[in-house]
Amino acid sequence: MRSLQCSLLPFVTIAILLFPLALNATNLAPIDNTGVQIQPMQQNGITYLSGGIGEDEARAIGQAQGYNLHMTFAIGPENKYVPDVDVTVQNSSGQTLLTLSDAGPLVYVQLPPGKYSVVATRNGEERRDTADVGSGAARKLVFHWNSSE
């Protein structure tokens, strides 16, 4: 038994080391644009993407550049993506910059540097978070609900 464990160790080690590369390769895989309906939208001068239903749409949004706020909406213990979320983004002065209905499961937003409040509502149940965005890496927010109801 010990001999079997020792002989498998190099293979397990290589698999663990290569796993992140496999994930990146999947994210960079070609996208079949025939089913992708993602187009940049604007509201109050704020550009955003909303969608991600299906693997190609999710990858298309995930590969989009220039969006400094990334939001993901999910439910249940399996973290299943949900596309039926109402979203409000307000600046630090309380001014509403973005109001979306039935958004998601991914929403990427281009915002000027600053601090923002985000309210995500699904079936009347609110989730709140704040995002400090700048010119660096995108700020990622995940909103989760416990049930699919």
Side-chain angles (χ1 to χ4, degrees):
M1 180 69 171
R2 184 167 171 82
S3 163
L4 179 62
Q5 288 176 340
C6 290
S7 64
L8 288 178
L9 186 59
F11 295 109
V12 172
T13 303
I14 290 170
I16 289 170
L17 291 174
L18 292 178
F19 185 70
L21 295 175
L23 285 178
N24 286 338
T26 301
N27 291 339
L28 298 175
I31 297 169
D32 178 6
N33 287 319
T34 58
V36 176
Q37 300 294 319
I38 302 300
Q39 294 296 320
M41 305 287 284
Q42 277 206 347
Q43 187 180 109
N44 300 320
I46 304 297
T47 302
Y48 68 93
L49 297 172
S50 178
I53 298 172
E55 197 173 311
D56 287 324
E57 266 193 25
R59 275 204 317 264
I61 290 177
Q63 292 176 11
Q65 301 292 314
Y67 295 88
N68 54 6
L69 177 60
H70 298 181
M71 294 178 274
T72 303
F73 310 116
I75 58 168
E78 66 282 350
N79 293 316
K80 181 180 173 188
Y81 280 1
V82 288
D84 56 353
V85 178
D86 297 334
V87 180
T88 304
V89 178
Q90 295 180 325
N91 64 16
S92 58
S93 303
Q95 177 187 11
T96 299
L97 302 177
L98 193 61
T99 304
L100 304 176
S101 296
D102 292 325
L106 303 172
V107 175
Y108 281 25
V109 185
Q110 285 179 346
L111 293 167
K115 188 169 186 164
Y116 298 89
S117 297
V118 180
V119 179
T121 307
R122 183 174 185 279
N123 294 335
E125 197 174 334
E126 280 187 3
R127 299 288 184 262
R128 296 175 174 267
D129 207 341
T130 58
D132 224 341
V133 299
S135 57
R139 175 74 162 95
K140 297 178 182 183
L141 302 180
V142 176
F143 295 92
H144 186 268
W145 290 266
N146 291 327
S147 70
S148 59
E149 297 177 24

